[in-house]
Amino acid sequence: LREPGLNLRVVQLFRDPRAVHNSRLKARQALLRESVQVLRSRHRAEPRGPARHQQQHLLLPPGLLGGGRPPQPQHRAEFFLGGALEVICQSWLRDLLLARRAPDWLRRRYTQLRYEDLVREPRAELRRLLRFAGLTVPPDLEDFVLNMTRGAAYSSDRPFLISARDAREAVHAWRERLSRQQVRQVEAACGEAMSILAY
């Protein structure tokens, strides 16, 4: 970030963790391998020995990472996805806290973007991001962003299919699809980060 020849800027995109969990559940099979890798990265990073701080894995069944009975095969993907989301939220929280205490030189090169803000005000957020990057806003790009967030479709059944859709509706899809228990678990696991991000 301090290398003058690079002029690197960082835009960190966030999304409501409840919506992230909903999307990850829809694409559970496609994300299973990625979720296991995320969980392994946390398991390797945790300190060993008797002084180890015991964390409660709120979105995982007891014993999934260290002994105990594994989940039933039909629930395994959901458990791995939930555990991976918990790791992602912990990472977000570290980033958010780092950004809060960052020196001025870092703050000038880092910005955050909430997916929901981009969806609600695509032109304004696009202008803000390009201004941050020192770039101009081509009119065609504004039209493209508006089209991609105001399409006729509501959602796609195929994961990772990029298409124009009504993203304003998709922002709240988790309210219809997640159970109360799933919402409570996500909020418990991601609450601190959600609070900082005003979710």
Side-chain angles (χ1 to χ4, degrees), residues 30-174:
L31 291 172
L32 186 56
R33 181 175 291 160
E34 178 265 353
S35 297
V36 171
Q37 289 172 339
V38 169
L39 285 169
R40 284 182 179 155
S41 72
R42 172 174 62 186
H43 194 57
R44 283 192 302 269
E46 287 178 345
R48 307 265 186 245
R52 179 178 165 184
H53 174 67
Q54 295 294 324
Q55 277 189 321
Q56 183 182 9
H57 302 293
L58 295 169
L59 296 174
L60 286 173
L64 185 63
L65 288 179
R69 296 179 65 192
Q72 296 299 315
Q74 68 268 25
H75 300 299
R76 190 173 304 168
E78 187 170 338
F79 289 137
F80 283 133
L81 290 170
L85 180 66
E86 184 178 346
V87 174
I88 290 166
C89 284
Q90 290 168 356
S91 178
W92 284 4
L93 181 59
R94 284 191 303 273
D95 293 343
L96 291 163
L97 294 175
L98 175 66
R100 275 187 168 178
R101 358 176 249 274
D104 285 342
W105 65 265
L106 177 56
R107 287 187 188 170
R108 286 191 301 269
R109 297 182 173 275
Y110 170 85
T111 193
Q112 297 166 352
L113 172 65
R114 292 185 342 152
Y115 171 79
E116 294 77 10
D117 297 333
L118 179 63
V119 164
R120 288 185 188 109
E121 298 290 336
R123 286 184 169 141
E125 287 299 313
L126 177 64
R127 287 186 196 120
R128 180 180 74 83
L129 289 175
L130 292 178
R131 193 170 44 248
F132 166 74
L135 302 171
T136 57
V137 184
D140 289 348
L141 186 55
E142 277 194 15
D143 293 342
F144 174 78
V145 169
L146 195 62
N147 176 57
M148 290 301 284
T149 57
R150 299 294 188 270
Y154 172 67
S155 181
S156 170
D157 292 331
R158 291 176 31 206
F160 314 115
L161 175 68
I162 299 171
S163 61
R165 64 185 70 183
D166 190 348
R168 294 168 298 181
E169 292 292 325
V171 163
H172 299 293
W174 63 267

